[in-house]
């Protein structure tokens, strides 16, 4: 439930942050009239005065929504015409709400005179920017009358230019809204990263480590493109900021493919698909390296965005492949990846200018990733439960006789250790009952081994119906069974054996229309000071069993150590013990 609540908040918060080309205004800013237009610089670099002349000649193209020109666009000029008819000077802030633009030059004209100019961008240290907003913030002084603001923007990254004109009240609340929204997202992802890392060190399942790396790489991509990385971690590393987005995008894709191929066992169940994944990752890394070597950020970015589309397609195809093969875990995985894929595709298309840009579309990858992270966490939890159940089944199978469903010899030794130590330390009685089916070989020879198995199963059921909670029963080997009775002296053990033997005598087994009579011989002994180990106690009970067989079978004998230190055997009469 808590993860759903976090996701709901992350979905709802951006509603209040919807971005338009020019933000809505308060009552004060409504008096500032705004018009926007753009011009792509196709020839030699324009100077601001030439750009202003082209504006006045009508060479700029008007627009009313967020300008999105895609990847590798030529430099663009933005013209904002502002008219202050209030009769007094206004203080406003122009927010260019994109964090990854390399160079921004702002020129503010008051009439024909250049009033103010600023240089900003990712090529400048972050120290000159507002640490609470990752976009570029330019203070404007608007005296009464008309103003022209020109912006020249260049970047090899996707050219996204959402502009907002903010008054002091809006500028005060916007950073808090953004930090709250991003804080919830980052906090949720960090919690999942730490949780899965701790699980890896706890249970040594590498899927959790790969999943933590996958989430961590996405977090790094988000930090790079949202501008928080430059603001918080590498504020002076302007060269790294140029290469961080493509490098971290490809790292994210490779980590995702590594996790998916491992989680879905693609190498084992779809070897051809595994080779395709390896090829895609290798080509992406080679393209990134080529971009580094020729110092072309555009080559690296093109490779990164292309790899994102290939990566999301491969993630979906691998999930579909394993679902068709009947993998239960793949169903959770596929649902998770569909959520993340939808978000990644929407953000990629918005960033490339193929979809309208807004808070929803820009952060769709983040929202989709939060949904994917939650669903994959559930998938990993389901896998843990499945592995745990399999371990329990395997342990149970290793400790259980498959025919009679009683403990086997190995399990009884392990479980009996605590009872033996308790008997020694606290002087509590412990008795052993050894039982052997009479004439079992003859039954096998006459009726076949299938009949012998039915006799063993029936006897095992009689034992299960007779033992108390806390007693230990095991198939000791062949047709021999052993029962340990904690807190039971020799007399009570005799009563127990008598009830068990009576149950066996009442058992009727029909094979091929013939009634088979099943009887057994039983030997019992109680732990004594002379017993140095559990095997000594079992050995004395086994001697009593031998005496029961020697005396004619279908009876109970107990073994005691006499005052002279010699073994003494006596028969337990059933009618006396059960009366």
């Amino acid at each position: 439930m808590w993860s759903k609540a976090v996701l709901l908040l992350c979905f709802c918060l951006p509603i209040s942050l919807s971005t338009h080309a020019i933000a809505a205004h308060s009552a004060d800013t409504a008096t500032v009239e705004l018009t926007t237009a753009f011009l792509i610089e196709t020839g030699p670099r324009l100077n601001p005065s030439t750009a202003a002349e082209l504006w006045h000649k009508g060479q700029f193209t008007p627009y009313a929504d967020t300008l999105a020109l895609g990847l590798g666009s030529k430099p663009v000029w933005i013209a904002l015409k502002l008219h202050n008819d209030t009769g007094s000077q206004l203080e406003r802030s122009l927010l260019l709400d994109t964090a990854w633009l390399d160079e921004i030059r702002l020129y503010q004209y008051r009439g024909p005179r250049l009033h103010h100019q600023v240089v900003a961008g990712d090529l400048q240290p972050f120290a000159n920017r507002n640490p609470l907003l990752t976009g570029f913030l330019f203070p404007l002084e608007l005296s009464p009358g008309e103003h022209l603001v020109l912006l020249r923007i260049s970047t090899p990254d996707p050219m996204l230019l959402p502009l907002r004109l903010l008054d002091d009240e809006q500028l005060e609340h916007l950073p808090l809204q953004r930090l709250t929204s991003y804080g919830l997202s980052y906090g949720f992802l960090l919690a999942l990263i730490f949780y899965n890392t701790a699980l890896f060190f706890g249970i040594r399942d590498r899927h959790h480590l790969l999943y933590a790396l996958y989430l961590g790489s996405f977090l790094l991509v988000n930090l790079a493109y949202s501008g928080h990385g430059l603001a918080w971690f590498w504020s002076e590393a302007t060269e790294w900021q140029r290469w961080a987005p493509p490098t971290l995008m490809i790292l994210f894709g490779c980590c995702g493919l590594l996790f998916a191929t491992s989680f879905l066992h693609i190498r084992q169940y779809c070897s051809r698909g595994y080779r395709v994944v390896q090829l895609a990752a290798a080509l992406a890394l080679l393209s990134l390296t080529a971009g580094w070597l020729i110092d072309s950020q555009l080559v690296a970015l093109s490779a990164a965005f292309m790899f994102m589309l290939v990566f999301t397609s491969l993630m979906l195809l691998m999930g579909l492949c394993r679902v068709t093969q009947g993998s239960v875990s793949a169903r959770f995985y596929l649902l998770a990846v569909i959520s993340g894929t939808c978000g990644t595709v929407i953000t990629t298309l918005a960033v490339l200018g193929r979809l309208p840009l807004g808070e929803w579309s820009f952060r769709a990858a983040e929202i989709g990733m939060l949904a994917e992270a939650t669903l994959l966490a559930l998938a990993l939890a389901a896998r843990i439960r499945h592995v745990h159940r399999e371990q329990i089944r395997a342990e149970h199978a290793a400790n259980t006789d498959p025919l009679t469903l009683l403990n086997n010899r190995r399990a009884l030794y392990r479980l009996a250790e605590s009872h033996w130590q308790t008997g020694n330390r606290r002087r509590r009685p412990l008795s052993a009952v050894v039982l052997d089916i009479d004439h079992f070989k003859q039954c096998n020879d006459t009726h076949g081994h299938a009949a012998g198995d039915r006799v063993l199963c029936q006897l095992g059921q009689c034992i299960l119906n007779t033992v108390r909670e806390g007693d230990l029963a095991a198939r000791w080997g062949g047709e021999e069974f052993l029962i340990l009775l904690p807190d039971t002296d020799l007399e009570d053990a005799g009563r127990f054996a008598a009830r068990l033997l009576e149950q066996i005598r009442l058992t009727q087994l029909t094979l091929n229309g013939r009634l088979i009579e099943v009887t057994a011989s039983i030997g019992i002994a109680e732990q004594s000071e002379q017993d140095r180990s559990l095997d000594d106690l079992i050995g004395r009970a086994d001697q009593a069993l031998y005496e029961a067989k020697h005396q004619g079978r279908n009876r109970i004998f107990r073994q005691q150590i006499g005052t002279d230190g010699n073994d003494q055997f006596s028969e337990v009469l059933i009618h006396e013990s059960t009366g």
Side-chain angles (χ1 to χ4, degrees):
M1 287 300 295
W2 62 271
S3 58
K4 294 180 181 178
V6 172
L7 279 176
L8 183 61
L9 284 173
C10 292
F11 269 90
C12 292
L13 278 171
I15 295 175
S16 64
L17 305 177
S18 180
T19 303
H20 305 282
I22 298 295
H25 311 295
S26 65
D28 189 22
T29 55
T31 58
V32 179
E33 297 179 5
L34 301 161
T35 56
T36 54
F38 74 96
L39 174 70
I40 297 177
E41 192 177 81
T42 55
R45 178 167 181 158
L46 300 176
N47 59 46
S49 59
T50 303
E53 289 179 11
L54 293 174
W55 155 256
H56 289 297
K57 291 179 180 180
Q59 298 297 309
F60 278 59
T61 303
Y63 75 96
D65 203 350
T66 298
L67 189 62
L69 302 178
L71 190 67
S73 171
K74 294 182 180 298
V76 64
W77 286 83
I78 302 288
L80 290 83
K81 183 180 179 181
L82 301 94
H83 182 73
N84 176 12
D85 58 2
T86 63
S88 60
Q89 180 164 303
L90 299 175
E91 303 289 336
R92 296 292 177 263
S93 296
L94 180 65
L95 175 63
L96 180 49
D97 208 7
T98 299
W100 59 78
L101 304 173
D102 277 11
E103 184 183 70
I104 307 163
R105 293 182 177 269
L106 180 143
Y107 307 94
Q108 182 182 356
Y109 284 86
R110 176 71 174 91
R113 184 173 62 87
L114 180 61
H115 175 68
H116 179 62
Q117 61 179 324
V118 180
V119 179
D122 275 355
L123 300 182
Q124 308 292 323
F126 194 87
N128 299 325
R129 290 160 60 179
N130 187 329
L132 299 181
L133 288 171
T134 55
F136 299 91
L137 194 66
F138 303 97
L140 299 177
E141 295 180 357
L142 302 177
S143 58
E146 289 191 353
H147 295 259
L148 175 64
V149 175
L150 293 176
L151 294 163
R152 184 186 185 274
I153 304 160
S154 61
T155 186
D157 286 280
M159 186 74 79
L160 289 175
L161 306 175
L163 292 168
R164 305 186 67 174
L165 190 64
L166 307 173
D167 60 20
D168 291 341
E169 182 181 352
Q170 292 169 324
L171 185 60
E172 180 181 354
H173 289 93
L174 182 59
L176 179 60
Q177 292 175 323
R178 289 286 175 85
L179 289 175
T180 301
S181 175
Y182 277 108
L184 286 171
S185 303
Y186 293 157
F188 183 58
L189 290 174
L190 285 172
L192 283 178
I193 290 170
F194 290 141
Y195 173 70
N196 282 278
T197 302
L199 277 179
F200 165 72
F201 286 109
I203 63 177
R204 295 295 176 180
D205 185 341
R206 70 190 183 110
H207 295 101
H208 292 280
L209 180 61
L210 295 177
Y211 181 51
L213 290 174
Y214 177 40
L215 293 177
S217 61
F218 173 78
L219 184 58
L220 289 174
V221 172
N222 195 277
L223 288 171
Y225 258 117
S226 67
H228 293 118
L230 183 61
W232 299 339
F233 299 109
W234 53 82
S235 58
E236 299 297 324
T238 54
E239 184 65 19
W240 163 243
Q241 178 62 16
R242 290 180 58 221
W243 294 99
T247 302
L248 295 176
M249 285 171 68
I250 290 177
L251 174 65
F252 165 63
C254 290
C255 288
L257 293 175
L258 183 61
F259 166 72
T261 53
S262 176
F263 181 78
L264 297 174
H265 305 286
I266 294 298
R267 187 174 187 177
Q268 179 180 355
Y269 294 102
C270 187
S271 58
R272 186 174 300 175
Y274 183 74
R275 288 192 293 272
V276 171
V277 169
Q278 287 182 309
L279 178 62
L283 289 175
L285 292 171
L286 285 174
S287 300
L288 177 64
T289 304
W292 287 341
L293 293 175
I294 64 176
D295 196 26
S296 174
Q297 192 180 352
L298 181 59
V299 169
L301 285 165
S302 300
F305 278 98
M306 180 62 69
F307 183 52
M308 281 295 96
L309 296 177
V310 173
F311 154 70
T312 52
S313 300
L314 289 174
M315 294 283 278
L316 279 172
L317 290 173
M318 286 189 289
L320 287 170
C321 175
R322 293 293 289 124
V323 166
T324 58
Q325 292 176 348
S327 171
V328 177
S329 299
R331 298 174 188 173
F332 284 98
Y333 166 88
L334 186 60
L335 183 61
V337 169
I338 288 174
S339 302
T341 298
C342 291
T344 301
V345 169
I346 290 172
T347 294
T348 301
L349 294 178
V351 167
L352 294 176
R354 304 295 188 268
L355 287 177
L357 179 71
E359 192 83 11
W360 277 96
S361 57
F362 176 67
R363 297 186 65 181
E366 177 188 341
I367 295 169
M369 189 63 189
L370 289 173
E372 178 180 326
T374 303
L375 292 170
L376 283 177
L378 294 176
L380 285 170
R383 185 181 180 278
I384 290 176
R385 290 194 297 271
H386 175 72
V387 170
H388 182 61
R389 285 195 297 267
E390 290 300 315
Q391 288 175 340
I392 291 175
R393 290 193 189 102
E395 185 177 350
H396 183 265
N399 293 310
T400 303
D401 174 59
L403 189 61
T404 64
L405 302 182
L406 297 174
N407 294 309
N408 56 23
R409 182 187 291 240
R410 170 178 171 271
L412 187 131
Y413 269 121
R414 180 174 58 83
L415 296 171
E417 182 63 28
S418 62
H419 295 298
W420 178 259
Q421 296 297 336
T422 300
N424 279 335
R425 188 170 56 252
R426 299 184 182 179
R427 302 299 180 184
R428 304 283 289 274
L430 174 67
S431 295
V433 177
V434 180
L435 180 150
D436 189 89
I437 301 174
D438 295 331
H439 306 295
F440 184 73
K441 183 177 183 305
Q442 180 179 341
C443 176
N444 272 337
D445 293 342
T446 303
H447 303 286
H449 289 283
D453 288 346
R454 288 186 61 185
V455 170
L456 291 171
C457 290
Q458 195 73 28
L459 187 58
Q461 190 59 49
C462 285
I463 293 173
L464 288 173
N465 292 338
T466 307
V467 294
R468 308 159 303 178
E469 184 178 356
D471 294 341
L472 298 178
R475 183 180 175 190
W476 203 238
E479 68 273 21
E480 191 172 346
F481 296 82
L482 173 65
I483 306 164
L484 289 180
L485 306 174
D487 296 321
T488 305
D489 58 22
L490 195 60
E491 184 176 350
D492 288 336
R495 296 190 183 95
F496 169 84
R499 289 195 302 273
L500 177 57
L501 192 58
E502 187 66 23
Q503 284 285 329
I504 295 170
R505 289 176 175 177
L506 295 175
T507 298
Q508 293 184 348
L509 188 63
T510 303
L511 292 172
N512 301 323
R514 296 177 57 186
L515 184 64
I516 298 178
E517 181 180 355
V518 179
T519 63
S521 301
I522 299 177
I524 59 176
E526 181 184 352
Q527 182 180 3
S528 69
E529 295 180 356
Q530 285 80 1
D531 296 326
R532 296 187 177 182
S533 67
L534 180 63
D535 286 330
D536 291 342
L537 172 61
I538 296 172
R540 292 195 295 110
D542 203 48
Q543 291 175 7
L545 170 65
Y546 178 80
E547 187 67 23
K549 286 185 170 293
H550 183 69
Q551 296 296 331
R553 293 184 173 84
N554 191 23
R555 61 194 67 232
I556 305 166
F557 266 75
R558 57 183 165 229
Q559 192 272 0
Q560 292 175 284
I561 299 177
T563 56
D564 57 358
N566 295 322
D567 295 338
Q568 295 181 354
F569 299 98
S570 58
E571 185 174 0
V572 178
L573 301 178
I574 294 179
H575 68 276
E576 293 178 359
S577 297
T578 58

